[in-house]
């Protein structure tokens, strides 16, 4: 028994078991270390993303620029920064000036100290990094704060301390150690089973016995002048004789390796791995033409069968077949370029795709330089001399230690005889087969070219990237590791490859330009300053989509009677047309709001207007979107995804939510045209989504809109939003509403803080749609600021109302405008009694201005006119217009209200030559 164990331990099977056990231990150790490093990397990446999102949200918060320019930024910003830090789960949020001096910090002792290395943010760039230094190592993000003119006036830094990141990694170590131990046990058990099976198959032979048997087989096998391969059923090479190694150029350790890992060309690998039986199959392998025979082996002792491959050299046909293969590979590379270049509408990424597709199948290194206007999305200039310098946009190579200038460097072409300058001047590709002899290239940068030649760069093709006859940049194809220099056939291929890439780069450039124009147009059309009003405390956020600006908009419109209208809307689509359509709709809503229409009627008028616009555009053909009358892209070139020649589509598909809040009654009336309803946060913190009648989108027509009315307690919060906030490709609408309700449920936050928290919780990494968010806290007008009287239908009541109004003004401390108010009340009440119908009511509201309202049951509307000298009446409304800042009429369900607004001081009151007799004015007619 002991002899058998000793024999097994010294056998090939025993040695294999020991080797497998060691390999399993090493693999599991490496896997455990890799998991630890991956966990640390994932946690740091998450910390970067969270820090950057919080910094961006805080930096773009309304009011931050004003707070930075205030006398004491620390007092204004420290509470807000601390609240934002706690809400986002970060370790610190620091607001700094452009020198890096902290205004706020989670550690008060750091306020007033200067932060390190923020120069990139001062230059206008947002960045994240792992910072090492004082006061602590941290994963931080720094974002510039800009004023209305775009200048950097401050910085916002956020981050998580590295110590907290390390604690998160250490928490996972017990699990990793346990998994590694389990894997080690399983691996060792598997190795034992394999060793036992091998011991049985080798019958316990030792290394010496098996070596003698192998020598006998090889002596016969290698004497044959025909290549022989034996491949097992597991696709591994069991044996290869010397002739097979020579014909296929196999590596020394080819045996026991998978056929796919032998480094053969794909067609040879596929033939050897397919297992199909072939006879004298002519096959090209490298520069040799082989006659291949494949036969299956017989199964032995229950083992699955493999196959034997024999190879004969028939090189006399290699030259013709080789040319065909090169042509086929070039066509395949051009096909791959058409598929892989231009997958995005990003200029730099398209340049990177050009460099990636050509390495290593065509060149060892590829660099792409673009003109500065192209990188910005502008039209490149055709002025002579602008091609003397470009900026490197991409570089790809077979090795990472390239001697070429890195991405971002300015590349200059100052020597006319250099290949790059010559290609730009001649307008086609230029070949420098031997860089040692390219004196123009060497003269351009003697030191840099010497390093490049020492590195091994020996051949170059420079191709100007041109589209529509305009130069966009330059592509350079270099060879270093490939010994063969470029030839004339390579020159033609490189030019074709560059032409295809140039079209994609031009499309990306035009999309970038349109996106920039759309962003500018969108921001110009959205409100910059919200009106002064007392009904709501409101804040807003607007974020354009990463892929393209859409047509989301919002508005706050001041209405008579201290009321306010809240509006959000969305135009389907992206780009300049969507932004322009949004501007038309916003203007239309403002115009209809001046008529003081109820929400459902306003949406009805807006729907009718859009139908009329669509009909006019359908009859007129829409015109050119670019407005230049050229009918599309220049020179018949393909316009590409940027849509430079796209015609504007119909407005149909726009949605809108219109709500009117009255701070006197606390009622809010709203209607929707296909838009999601608002979120309502009650004063007790409950979050609701009131159900609104599902109206059709604007422009569909055919159905009236319905309005609902809500009674809101003081302190209620309304949240209006567009669907881009709650849904995206990876999140449905209902899930988004649940997340929104959770983000809004935390009480005790200002509207501005709530808006920042909502974006931090809901924002997608790369939103595909615009986001508009409007948060309004409702207020109520105090009862002591409201005075109301019921007016009997008799003329004698006019003087009583006038006196009562004057007394109320004195009580409010507004006696200096009493005369103007008495005159207005006299005129409005007199005419309501004379031409209106019961009931007649008078209401005075003391808000930011004094509002006088006289209502009656008649729908007859007065009109301002000039009375003739012989007319006995007709001057009353003219006098009202002279004494009031604004006046107008709005209609109710049971009549109308005539209103007038006066300033709370008498400074704006006109001074007539003589004050008229108020009792006499009661007899004057409109």
């Amino acid at each position: 028994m002991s002899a058998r164990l000793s024999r097994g331990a010294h056998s090939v099977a025993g040695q294999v078991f020991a080797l497998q056990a060691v390999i399993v231990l090493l693999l599991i150790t490496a896997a455990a270390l890799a998991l630890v490093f991956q966990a640390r990397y994932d946690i740091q990446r998450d910390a970067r993303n969270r820090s950057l999102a919080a910094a961006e949200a805080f930096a773009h918060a309304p009011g931050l620029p004003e707070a930075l320019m205030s006398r004491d930024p620390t007092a204004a910003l420290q509470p807000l920064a601390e609240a934002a830090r706690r809400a986002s789960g970060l370790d610190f949020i620091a607001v700094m000036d452009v020198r890096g001096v902290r205004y706020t910090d989670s550690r008060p002792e750091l306020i007033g100290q200067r932060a390190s290395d923020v120069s990139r943010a001062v230059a206008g760039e947002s960045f994240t990094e792992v910072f090492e230094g004082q006061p602590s190592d941290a994963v931080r993000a720094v974002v510039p704060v800009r004023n209305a003119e775009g200048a950097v006036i401050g910085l916002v830094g956020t981050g998580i301390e590295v110590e907290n990141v390390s604690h998160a990694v250490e928490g996972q170590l017990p699990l990793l150690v346990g998994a590694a131990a389990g894997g080690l046990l399983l691996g060792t058990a598997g190795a034992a089973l394999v060793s036992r099976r091998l011991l049985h198959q080798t019958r316990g032979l030792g290394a010496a016995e098996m070596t003698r048997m192998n020598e006998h087989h090889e002596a016969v096998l290698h004497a044959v002048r025909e290549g022989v391969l034996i491949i097992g059923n597991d696709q591994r090479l069991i044996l290869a004789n010397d002739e097979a190694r020579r014909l296929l150029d196999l590596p020394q350790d080819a045996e026991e390796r998978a056929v796919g890992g032998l480094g053969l060309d794909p067609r040879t690998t596929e033939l050897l791995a397919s297992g199909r039986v072939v006879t004298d199959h002519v096959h090209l392998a490298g520069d040799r033409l082989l006659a291949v025979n494949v036969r299956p082996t017989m199964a032995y002792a229950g083992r699955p069968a493999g196959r034997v491959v024999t190879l004969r050299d028939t090189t006399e046909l290699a030259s013709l077949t080789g040319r065909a293969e090169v042509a086929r590979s070039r066509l395949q590379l051009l096909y791959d370029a058409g598929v892989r270049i231009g997958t995005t509408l990003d200029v730099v990424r398209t340049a990177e795709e050009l460099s990636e597709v050509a390495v290593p199948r065509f060149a060892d290194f590829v660099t792409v330089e673009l003109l500065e206007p192209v990188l910005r999305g502008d039209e490149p200039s055709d002025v002579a001399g602008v091609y003397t310098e470009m900026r490197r946009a991409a570089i790809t190579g077979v090795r990472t230690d390239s001697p070429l200038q890195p991405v971002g460097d300015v590349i200059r072409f100052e020597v006319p005889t250099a290949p790059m300058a010559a290609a730009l001047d001649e307008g086609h590709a230029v070949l420098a087969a031997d860089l040692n002899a390219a004196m123009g290239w060497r003269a351009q940068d003697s030191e840099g070219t010497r390093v490049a030649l020492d590195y091994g760069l020996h051949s170059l093709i420079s191709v100007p990237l041109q589209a529509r006859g305009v130069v966009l940049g330059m592509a350079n194809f270099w060879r270093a590791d490939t010994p063969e220099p470029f030839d004339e056939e390579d020159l033609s291929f490189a030019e074709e490859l560059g032409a295809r890439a140039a079209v994609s780069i031009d499309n990306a450039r035009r999309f970038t330009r349109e996106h920039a124009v759309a962003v500018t147009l969108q921001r110009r059309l959205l409100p910059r300053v919200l009106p002064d009003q007392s009904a709501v405390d409101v804040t807003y956020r607007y974020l354009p989509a990463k892929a393209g600006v859409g047509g989301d908009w919002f508005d706050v419109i001041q209405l008579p009677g201290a009321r306010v209208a809240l509006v959000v809307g969305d135009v389907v689509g992206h780009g300049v047309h969507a932004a322009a359509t949004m501007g038309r709709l916003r203007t239309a809503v403002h115009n209809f709001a001046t008529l003081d229409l109820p929400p459902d009627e306003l949406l009805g008028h807006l729907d009718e207007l859009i139908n009329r616009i669509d009909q006019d555009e359908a009859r007129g053909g829409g015109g050119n979107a670019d407005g230049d009358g050229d009918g599309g892209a220049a020179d018949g070139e393909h316009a590409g995804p940027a849509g430079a020649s796209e015609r504007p589509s119909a407005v149909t598909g726009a949605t809108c939510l219109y709500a009117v809040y009255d701070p006197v009654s606390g009622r809010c009336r709203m209607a929707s045209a296909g838009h999601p309803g608002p979120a309502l946060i009650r004063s007790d913190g409950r979050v609701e989504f009131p159900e609104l009648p599902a109206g059709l989108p604007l422009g569909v027509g055919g159905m009236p809109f319905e309005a609902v009315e809500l009674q809101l307690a003081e302190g209620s919060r309304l949240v209006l939003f567009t669907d881009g906030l709650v849904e995206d490709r990876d999140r449905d609408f209902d899930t988004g509403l649940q997340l929104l309700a959770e983000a809004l449920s935390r009480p005790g936050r200002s509207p501005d803080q709530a808006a920042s928290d909502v974006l931090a919780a809901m924002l997608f990494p790369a939103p595909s749609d615009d986001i508009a968010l409007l948060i309004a806290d409702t207020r109520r007008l105090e009862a002591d600021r409201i005075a109301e009287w019921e007016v009997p239908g008799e003329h004698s009541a006019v003087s009583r109302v006038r006196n009562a109004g004057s007394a109320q003004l004195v009580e409010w401390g507004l006696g200096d405008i009493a005369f103007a108010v008495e005159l207005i009340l006299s005129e409005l009440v007199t005419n309501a009694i004379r031409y209106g119908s019961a009931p007649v009511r008078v209401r005075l509201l003391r808000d930011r201005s004094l509002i006088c309202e006289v209502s009656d049951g008649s729908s007859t509307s007065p009109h301002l006119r000039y009375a003739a000298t012989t007319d006995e009446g007709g001057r009353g409304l003219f006098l009202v217009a002279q004494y009031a800042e604004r006046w107008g009429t709005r209609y109710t369900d049971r009549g109308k209200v005539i209103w007038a607004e006066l300033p709370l001081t008498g400074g704006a009151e006109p001074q007539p030559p003589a004050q008229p007799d108020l009792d006499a004015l009661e007899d004057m007619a409109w």
Side-chain angles (χ1 to χ4, degrees), residues 757-773:
D757 292 346
V758 166
L759 290 185
M762 305 287 296
L763 194 61
F764 298 96
S768 59
D769 197 5
D770 288 13
I771 295 175
L773 175 65

Side-chain angles (χ1 to χ4, degrees), residues 299-367:
Y300 174 74
R303 292 177 296 177
R307 54 195 173 277
V308 175
V309 181
T310 61
L311 311 168
R312 292 196 310 274
D313 191 1
T314 57
T315 314
E316 61 273 9
L317 301 178
S319 178
L320 180 61
T321 306
R323 289 179 178 273
E325 181 65 18
V326 170
R328 187 198 64 81
S329 64
R330 291 292 169 83
L331 289 175
Q332 181 64 40
L333 181 54
L334 285 178
Y335 171 78
D336 293 343
V339 173
R340 293 176 56 186
I341 298 176
T343 59
T344 67
L345 290 174
D346 182 83
V347 173
V348 174
R349 180 55 194 151
T350 304
E352 292 172 348
E353 290 169 342
L354 167 60
S355 65
E356 292 167 358
V357 78
V359 176
R361 288 191 288 175
F362 178 67
D364 297 327
F365 292 91
V366 176
T367 59

Side-chain angles (χ1 to χ4, degrees), residues 94 110 148 156 284 286 319 327 379 529 554 598 615 685 726 777 867 883:
L110 297 179
V156 175
L284 179 65
S319 178
E379 189 75 25
V529 179
F554 63 91
Q615 293 171 4
V726 295
D777 282 358
Y883 278 87

Side-chain angles (χ1 to χ4, degrees), residues 300-462:
Y300 174 74
R303 292 177 296 177
R307 54 195 173 277
V308 175
V309 181
T310 61
L311 311 168
R312 292 196 310 274
D313 191 1
T314 57
T315 314
E316 61 273 9
L317 301 178
S319 178
L320 180 61
T321 306
R323 289 179 178 273
E325 181 65 18
V326 170
R328 187 198 64 81
S329 64
R330 291 292 169 83
L331 289 175
Q332 181 64 40
L333 181 54
L334 285 178
Y335 171 78
D336 293 343
V339 173
R340 293 176 56 186
I341 298 176
T343 59
T344 67
L345 290 174
D346 182 83
V347 173
V348 174
R349 180 55 194 151
T350 304
E352 292 172 348
E353 290 169 342
L354 167 60
S355 65
E356 292 167 358
V357 78
V359 176
R361 288 191 288 175
F362 178 67
D364 297 327
F365 292 91
V366 176
T367 59
V368 181
E369 293 81 55
L370 297 176
L371 292 169
E372 290 284 0
V374 175
L375 290 170
R376 297 192 302 266
D378 297 335
E379 189 75 25
S381 174
D382 56 359
V383 179
V386 299
Y387 302 145
T388 57
E389 64 179 41
M390 298 180 184
R391 189 169 296 277
R392 179 147 292 166
I395 180 171
T396 301
V398 294
R399 288 181 280 169
T400 57
D401 57 336
S402 167
L404 302 170
Q405 291 177 254
V407 170
D409 275 15
V410 174
I411 310 300
R412 293 179 172 83
F413 315 116
E414 299 173 346
V415 179
T417 57
M420 298 85 166
L424 291 171
D425 182 60
E426 297 172 11
H428 59 76
V430 170
L431 169 64
D434 184 5
L435 288 177
N436 286 282
M439 295 304 166
W441 175 70
R442 299 182 66 171
Q444 185 162 277
D445 179 10
S446 57
E447 179 63 25
T449 53
R450 185 187 62 80
V451 173
L453 291 173
D454 293 343
Y455 181 84
L457 295 178
H458 62 83
S459 191
L460 165 68
I461 295 178
S462 295

Side-chain angles (χ1 to χ4, degrees), residues 43-53 128-130 139 141:
I43 293 173
Q44 285 191 356
R45 181 179 61 185
D46 178 66
R48 285 173 180 265
N49 293 338
R50 287 173 54 198
S51 300
L52 182 59
T128 63
E129 64 177 359
V130 178
V139 178

